Amino acid sequence: MKKVKYVIVLITFVLLVMWGVFSIGKTIFIKYTGEKIEAIVSKIPSSCDRYNHINVFFNGEDYEVSISRTDCRESFYKIGQKVTLLKNKKYKELVWPESQPELLPILIIAVFVLAYISMKGRHRK
């Protein structure tokens, strides 16, 4: 029974890592291959504590784009405001030109390395 739980946890972990790698990879791909587009803010969040996204309208479609909590709280974006974003024809996702998604994989790798180093010494006999 203990082995089954371990396998389930391991499979779940691997699936989450694969989903994260795909998501980050897609965002990085859009950032470096996307075209600059101008979209119009169509909806702003009513609360900035949990949900920091704005909706933008581009080419007849509505997109949801993350914003910083500071920009949300300071009401930096207004309905009708034009914003410049990046879009790749392959994906239905928009990315901020100033975003730095390539930093996240570096941080994740650093956390795994630190976890490995800290656990390595504890399990030696």
Side-chain angles (χ1 to χ4, degrees):
M1 190 67 171
K2 197 172 189 180
K3 196 173 190 178
V4 172
K5 287 181 184 180
Y6 176 75
V7 170
I8 291 172
V9 169
L10 185 63
I11 290 172
T12 304
F13 176 75
V14 168
L15 290 174
L16 283 172
V17 168
M18 287 172 52
W19 172 77
V21 167
F22 175 76
S23 180
I24 292 168
K26 180 173 65 168
T27 304
I28 292 170
F29 181 78
I30 293 170
K31 180 180 177 186
Y32 288 104
T33 64
E35 299 175 15
K36 282 191 175 185
I37 57 107
E38 291 228 339
I40 297 178
V41 177
S42 59
K43 184 179 175 188
I44 54 176
S46 57
S47 172
C48 296
D49 291 329
R50 294 186 182 163
Y51 196 68
N52 300 327
H53 292 82
I54 58 172
N55 286 50
V56 297
F57 193 73
F58 171 72
N59 206 18
E61 292 189 53
D62 209 33
Y63 295 86
E64 189 176 77
V65 184
S66 296
I67 60 172
S68 71
R69 186 172 287 183
T70 302
D71 285 350
C72 185
R73 287 183 177 159
E74 293 177 1
S75 300
F76 187 78
Y77 298 100
K78 310 281 187 228
I79 294 177
Q81 177 181 352
K82 287 184 181 180
V83 292
T84 301
L85 298 160
L86 298 171
K87 168 118 177 73
N88 185 292
K89 294 175 188 174
K90 191 175 178 179
Y91 298 107
K92 189 184 185 308
E93 187 175 322
L94 301 177
V95 176
W96 293 103
E98 312 82 35
S99 70
Q100 298 177 331
E102 57 277 352
L103 292 180
L104 194 54
I106 294 168
L107 289 173
I108 291 170
I109 290 168
V111 166
F112 279 120
V113 168
L114 289 173
Y116 173 75
I117 290 169
S118 68
M119 297 302 280
K120 187 173 130 179
R122 291 183 182 177
H123 295 292
R124 279 199 177 155
K125 292 182 179 182

